[in-house]
Amino acid sequence: MTRLLTAFASLICLGLAALGFSNASPLSLFDAIGPRDSGGRLAARDREFGKGPRHTLDVYVPVTAPEAAPVLVFFYGGSWDSGSKDDYAFVGQALAAQGFVTVLPDYRLYPQARFPDFLNDGAAAIAWVRDNIATYGGDPRRIVLAGHSAGAYNAVMLALDPRYLEGVGIDPKVIRAVAGLSGPYDFLPLDTDTTRKVFGQAADLAQTQPMNFAGPLSPPAFLATGDEDTTVKPRHTAALAARLRAANVPVQERVYRGLDHKDTVLALSVTFRSKAPELAEMSSFLMWQAAGRTQYTMTDPARAVKLQP
């Protein structure tokens, strides 16, 4: 059985190599032929949360009909200029199998969009969740966010900077926790073509950086990276984790040995799950926080730290 799994994994790798897989490359081949978690299923496709062509989302639910289950909104990566929810069904089913009603939204990409358009799209998707997720067995009062790479940036910014959710009438405290996988959180000065074209027109570049919004009111965070990531270096994860800890925010930080940038999303799949215990650790942390196990206020930060899983 192990040999069969290894052979299948090799086939997947060849397919990804043929696609020139990188953070910004499509995952359609992998998503189409890879095995899926049997504990999750697609419940709704292409639900509209806005008027544009990239304002749709998919909903995945546990096979056992959920009732007031925690809701996880996952944002995919792709350097803010590529990507599609349709290539991440393996993530939707994996997270649904862990007990989350899982939402995968699309969002506008460069060159049609620049900062902060994709954050406004993410906030609009969360507003849709608030208004509609109970239909699918989700609890709109218990929302957690997660993302990979550029999607981790989106998730963390939406969790840390309250302006985007407040702009759509959502109390930011409804976000119980956030998970970032290989995310860029502190990238000034803008020193790559990607960041210059996506963020360069911002009037105040400091307002584009998640690091600058970490504080005592930030939600608990699961932050993970791979020690072989040369695309978004592990320093981003370490720096944000340290900033949040300094504000007495519960943090679980993981640096997985042998994983590179793409591995931290592939490790959520059945095929590559043996690479790291990422799915189990992230899901446990988010489920714990969604259950309200950390009750903390500005005047009681020590209790929040003690209650980390």
Side-chain angles (χ1 to χ4, degrees):
M1 185 67 182
T2 301
R3 289 183 178 179
L4 287 174
L5 181 58
T6 301
F8 183 76
S10 298
L11 177 62
I12 295 289
C13 288
L14 288 173
L16 292 174
L19 283 173
F21 182 84
S22 68
N23 180 50
S25 300
L27 284 165
S28 54
L29 175 62
F30 175 80
D31 192 57
I33 68 176
R36 303 275 183 83
D37 287 86
S38 59
R41 66 177 180 84
L42 177 67
R45 184 185 294 279
D46 294 334
R47 293 296 185 265
E48 294 183 356
F49 65 86
K51 297 187 181 301
R54 292 191 61 83
H55 289 158
T56 62
L57 55 78
D58 297 341
V59 181
Y60 294 82
V61 299
V63 167
T64 301
E67 183 176 348
V71 182
L72 192 158
V73 183
F74 182 87
F75 298 95
Y76 55 78
S79 300
W80 301 283
D81 63 7
S82 66
S84 169
K85 65 178 176 55
D86 296 337
D87 296 338
Y88 289 84
F90 73 95
V91 173
Q93 284 192 222
L95 295 171
Q98 296 293 313
F100 298 97
V101 172
T102 304
V103 178
L104 270 63
D106 271 330
Y107 53 91
R108 287 173 292 170
L109 303 171
Y110 178 87
Q112 287 74 33
R114 292 172 174 81
F115 174 88
D117 296 332
F118 36 82
L119 297 176
N120 291 328
D121 292 349
I126 295 169
W128 183 96
V129 167
R130 174 198 59 196
D131 296 338
N132 298 279
I133 206 64
T135 301
Y136 303 95
D139 185 348
R141 300 166 301 175
R142 297 194 296 145
I143 300 173
V144 297
L145 308 180
H148 171 253
S149 192
Y153 170 93
N154 294 356
V156 170
M157 274 293 281
L158 289 166
L160 269 54
D161 184 349
R163 293 175 296 177
Y164 299 103
L165 295 183
E166 289 174 347
V168 293
I170 294 178
D171 183 346
K173 292 193 293 295
V174 75
I175 305 302
R176 298 293 186 91
V178 62
L181 308 179
S182 300
Y185 311 120
D186 184 20
F187 48 89
L188 292 182
L190 303 178
D191 57 359
T192 68
D193 289 342
T194 296
T195 55
R196 281 192 291 266
K197 70 187 182 183
V198 175
F199 297 93
Q201 84 296 335
D204 183 356
L205 287 176
Q207 299 294 302
T208 69
Q209 302 298 295
M211 183 74 69
N212 294 333
F213 296 97
L217 297 181
S218 299
F222 177 91
L223 300 172
T225 187
D227 66 354
E228 295 186 7
D229 191 340
T230 59
T231 302
V232 178
K233 295 182 179 180
R235 71 169 181 82
H236 289 268
T237 292
L240 181 58
R243 182 70 62 88
L244 289 167
R245 287 196 194 98
N248 292 311
V249 174
V251 177
Q252 220 174 52
E253 180 183 3
R254 293 289 184 265
V255 181
Y256 296 113
R257 298 185 66 130
L259 267 61
D260 63 19
H261 192 67
K262 66 181 182 299
D263 289 334
T264 53
V265 69
L266 292 177
L268 301 178
S269 69
V270 172
T271 306
F272 293 107
R273 195 163 297 159
S274 61
K275 282 179 171 284
E278 181 184 65
L279 177 66
E281 292 183 344
M282 179 179 75
S283 297
S284 176
F285 180 87
L286 294 177
M287 190 66 74
W288 181 274
Q289 303 298 339
R293 302 296 175 84
T294 52
Q295 301 298 324
Y296 68 98
T297 66
M298 288 281 288
T299 59
D300 188 18
R303 177 172 170 78
V305 176
K306 290 177 182 177
L307 287 176
Q308 291 183 74

